[in-house]
Amino acid sequence: MRQTDISGNFNSRHSKMIDILIQHINSKINNKLTESDISLLSEVFHTKKLRKHQYLIQSGEVCKIAAFVVKGALKKYTIDNSGKENILELYIENWWAGDKESFMIGTPTPYYIDAYEDSELLVITKDDFVNILSKLSFYSELNQSLTERQSFQLMKRLHSSQTFTAEQKLDELQNTYPEFFQRFPKHIIASYLGMTKETISRIRSNSSKK
Amino acid sequence: MRQTDISGNFNSRHSKMIDILIQHINSKINNKLTESDISLLSEVFHTKKLRKHQYLIQSGEVCKIAAFVVKGALKKYTIDNSGKENILELYIENWWAGDKESFMIGTPTPYYIDAYEDSELLVITKDDFVNILSKLSFYSELNQSLTERQSFQLMKRLHSSQTFTAEQKLDELQNTYPEFFQRFPKHIIASYLGMTKETISRIRSNSSKK
DNA sequence: AAAAAACGTTGATTTAGATCAACATTTTTT
DNA sequence: AAAAAATGTTGATCTAAATCAACGTTTTTT
C-alpha cells in the first residue's frame, strides 16, 4: 500500500482515499495501474466531504463532476410535481456517483444527488476528465467495464420493475444488495423500488408470520 | 458507396447489407472505417434471414451471436410462469439484437428473441468477435458509444416505469420512438411498456375525446 | 433534558390498472 | 373462398398497492 504521496502535496487522508480508488480500479482492469497512472490519479482526484443532506448535484445544473464514494451513502432522485422524491440510485462505498449523461453530453441533469450519511468522495472535474483521465491507457477498459455492468443491472431492474410484485422486488433487492437494507431506512428503499414504505412494512409483517 | 466486395466471396445482398452496417458504425465513431476494417467486417459478419416467429435466441441458451438488424423487426422477452410474454426490447432497422450479458460473460440468457416480421440480419459469432472484431481499432469507441447510449435509455425507461402513469408512459414512447407505433401492434407495445392492451385501448379512446 | 425530526407500523379507504369475457374487424394461411 | 389467427375495442369486475391518517418509538438537534 502507498504510504505517502510522492509529490508531497497531499495529506495522508487523501493518500488513503486514493489507495482505495486504486484498489477499485485495479479490480476492474487486466493490467495493474502503473506508478505514473497513480501519480496522475492523485493529482486529478481531489477529496470532497459532504454532510448529511448536502447536495452533490441539483436538478437543472450540468453535472461537471464524477465522484467516487470512499465513505458514506448517497441517493440520486427526481422530485415530481407533488414534491415526492423518486429515488433512482443509491450509492455507498466503492460506487460512482453522478449523472453520466449530463457529464458526458453536457445536458442539464434532471436529478438531485445528496448525501444520506456524512460522506467522503474523490471528485474529478470535467476538464481534468477530458484532458487527463480519459486519455490514460486504462480508462477505456475501466469505463467499458463499469458502463456494461451498469447497463446489465438496469436491464434487470427494469424487468423486475415491470413484472415483479412488490414482494418479489423486495426479495430480489435483499438478495442483490443486502447492504442497502442495513444502510438505508425503509422509506428510501421503498422509493428506490418504486413502492411505498407502508407496502414494505406490510410485506415484512406478513412474511415474518410465515 | 461500396458496390462489390473486393474478395468476390459475397453476393450483392451481403454487400449492400455490409454497406448499411458501415454507415451505422461510421455514424458512431470519429474516424471513418478504413478499407481494411471494412474488408474484415465483410468477412466476420454473415447474413441471416429470420421468418416471422422464428427465434434468434431462446431462454436457457448461451447467446453466441451478436446481430445487427438490416431489415425487419424483432422482440426480446421473458416468459413468466403463467406463460405471459414480458417484452424488454424491440428492435428494428439499425438496432443491435442479442443478450450482451450472456454473450460477453457466457451465462445462460433468460430471454427469447424472435422475429416479429421477416428479418435480415448481419450476425457475428462469439469467436469472430473475440478474435477479430474486438481487436479492431474502432471497436472500443463503437462499443462505448452503444453501451453508454443503452445505459442512458435504460435509466430513463426505469424512471418512467416507476413514476409515470400508463398515459404518460404511452406519451413518452410516442415521442421517443414513434416508429415503434407504426411497426408493432398494440399488445406488443403494451407489454414493452409493462401494461395491457386494454389499458392502451382505453387511453387512446379517452385522449381522442379531448 | 426537552423538543423536533425521522422512522416504522397499522387500519380504513381509494384507485389505477389488471383480469375476464365477449365481440367486431382485419390479416394471414390453407 | 373459407377458415384460422391476429388485432383492437368495450364492459364488468377484481385486486395490488397507493393514499390518508393516526400513533408509538427511536434518533437527532438544540
Side-chain angles (χ1 to χ4, degrees):
Chain A
M1 235 211 277
R2 300 174 73 254
Q3 298 300 326
T4 57
D5 188 272
I6 291 161
S7 70
N9 285 330
F10 303 108
N11 65 27
S12 97
R13 183 61 191 149
H14 181 268
S15 286
K16 281 178 192 156
M17 288 172 70
I18 291 288
D19 281 341
I20 292 169
L21 175 62
I22 290 164
Q23 278 186 33
H24 164 81
I25 295 177
N26 275 335
S27 77
K28 303 283 171 193
I29 60 178
N30 282 316
N31 302 308
K32 302 278 170 235
L33 293 172
T34 64
E35 274 303 312
S36 109
D37 289 334
I38 293 175
S39 174
L40 282 167
L41 285 176
S42 285
E43 283 172 38
V44 294
F45 278 95
H46 50 277
T47 61
K48 184 179 179 94
K49 286 190 183 194
L50 284 186
R51 283 284 169 75
K52 184 166 182 165
H53 297 135
Q54 249 188 295
Y55 290 114
L56 180 65
I57 61 171
Q58 293 187 58
S59 174
E61 298 173 359
V62 172
C63 177
K64 294 202 168 67
I65 48 112
F68 178 76
V69 183
V70 176
K71 183 142 187 33
L74 302 92
K75 57 188 161 71
K76 168 168 158 181
Y77 56 96
T78 57
I79 296 186
D80 66 21
N81 299 332
S82 66
K84 201 180 81 181
E85 276 189 14
N86 296 116
I87 298 178
L88 270 143
E89 292 190 318
L90 297 173
Y91 310 110
I92 56 176
E93 286 79 12
N94 292 304
W95 288 66
W96 291 88
D99 178 1
K100 198 171 178 188
E101 180 165 3
S102 173
F103 183 74
M104 299 301 287
I105 307 182
T107 47
T109 181
Y111 306 115
Y112 296 84
I113 297 180
D114 67 23
Y116 176 69
E117 296 174 7
D118 293 348
S119 300
E120 294 182 32
L121 312 174
L122 281 171
V123 167
I124 184 170
T125 63
K126 173 93 190 216
D127 280 350
D128 281 345
F129 171 80
V130 170
N131 298 324
I132 302 172
L133 182 62
S134 70
K135 291 176 176 162
L136 296 184
S137 63
F138 67 84
Y139 171 73
S140 156
E141 190 187 355
L142 172 67
N143 180 245
Q144 180 173 317
S145 161
L146 292 172
T147 313
E148 248 166 32
R149 195 185 147 85
Q150 156 99 339
S151 154
F152 299 159
Q153 287 169 348
L154 284 170
M155 183 73 82
K156 280 175 200 151
R157 286 179 62 198
L158 179 63
H159 185 249
S160 349
S161 169
Q162 292 194 344
T163 66
F164 283 6
T165 62
E167 184 166 8
Q168 289 172 323
K169 289 175 193 176
L170 203 60
D171 273 358
E172 187 189 49
L173 185 65
Q174 303 216 44
N175 294 328
T176 319
Y177 304 114
E179 324 86 270
F180 287 177
F181 267 85
Q182 297 148 3
R183 212 58 184 273
F184 297 98
K186 300 295 166 287
H187 69 270
I188 287 188
I189 299 290
S191 175
Y192 176 79
L193 291 175
M195 62 185 72
T196 61
K197 59 185 193 315
E198 290 92 338
T199 295
I200 288 197
S201 182
R202 287 181 179 111
I203 289 169
R204 297 176 86 219
S205 75
N206 276 333
S207 57
S208 66
K209 282 174 199 158
K210 285 177 193 166
Chain B
M1 234 210 281
R2 299 175 73 254
Q3 298 300 326
T4 56
D5 188 273
I6 291 161
S7 70
N9 285 330
F10 302 107
N11 64 28
S12 97
R13 183 60 190 151
H14 181 267
S15 287
K16 281 177 190 156
M17 289 172 70
I18 291 288
D19 281 341
I20 292 168
L21 175 62
I22 290 164
Q23 278 187 33
H24 165 81
I25 295 178
N26 275 335
S27 78
K28 303 284 171 192
I29 61 179
N30 282 315
N31 302 309
K32 301 280 170 233
L33 293 173
T34 65
E35 273 303 313
S36 109
D37 290 334
I38 293 174
S39 171
L40 281 167
L41 285 176
S42 285
E43 282 171 40
V44 295
F45 278 96
H46 49 277
T47 61
K48 184 179 178 95
K49 287 191 182 194
L50 283 187
R51 282 286 169 74
K52 184 166 183 164
H53 296 134
Q54 247 187 299
Y55 290 114
L56 180 65
I57 61 170
Q58 293 186 59
S59 173
E61 297 173 359
V62 171
C63 178
K64 294 202 168 69
I65 47 112
F68 177 75
V69 183
V70 176
K71 182 140 188 35
L74 302 91
K75 56 189 163 70
K76 168 167 157 183
Y77 55 96
T78 57
I79 297 186
D80 66 20
N81 300 332
S82 67
K84 201 180 82 182
E85 277 189 13
N86 298 116
I87 298 178
L88 270 143
E89 291 189 319
L90 297 173
Y91 309 111
I92 56 176
E93 285 78 12
N94 292 305
W95 288 66
W96 291 88
D99 177 1
K100 198 172 178 189
E101 181 165 2
S102 173
F103 184 74
M104 299 300 287
I105 306 181
T107 48
T109 180
Y111 305 116
Y112 296 84
I113 298 180
D114 68 22
Y116 176 70
E117 298 174 6
D118 293 349
S119 300
E120 293 181 32
L121 313 174
L122 281 171
V123 167
I124 185 170
T125 63
K126 173 93 190 214
D127 280 350
D128 282 345
F129 170 80
V130 170
N131 298 324
I132 301 172
L133 181 63
S134 71
K135 291 176 176 161
L136 297 184
S137 63
F138 68 84
Y139 170 73
S140 157
E141 190 186 355
L142 172 67
N143 180 244
Q144 180 173 318
S145 161
L146 292 171
T147 313
E148 249 166 32
R149 194 186 148 84
Q150 157 98 340
S151 154
F152 299 159
Q153 286 169 347
L154 284 170
M155 185 74 81
K156 281 174 199 150
R157 287 179 61 198
L158 179 62
H159 185 250
S160 347
S161 169
Q162 291 195 344
T163 66
F164 283 7
T165 63
E167 184 166 8
Q168 288 171 323
K169 290 175 193 176
L170 204 60
D171 273 358
E172 186 190 49
L173 185 64
Q174 303 216 44
N175 294 328
T176 318
Y177 304 114
E179 326 83 273
F180 286 177
F181 269 83
Q182 298 147 4
R183 211 55 185 275
F184 296 99
K186 300 295 166 287
H187 69 270
I188 287 188
I189 298 291
S191 174
Y192 176 80
L193 291 174
M195 61 185 72
T196 61
K197 60 186 193 313
E198 291 92 338
T199 295
I200 288 197
S201 181
R202 286 181 180 111
I203 288 169
R204 297 176 87 221
S205 74
N206 277 333
S207 57
S208 66
K209 281 174 199 157
K210 285 177 191 166

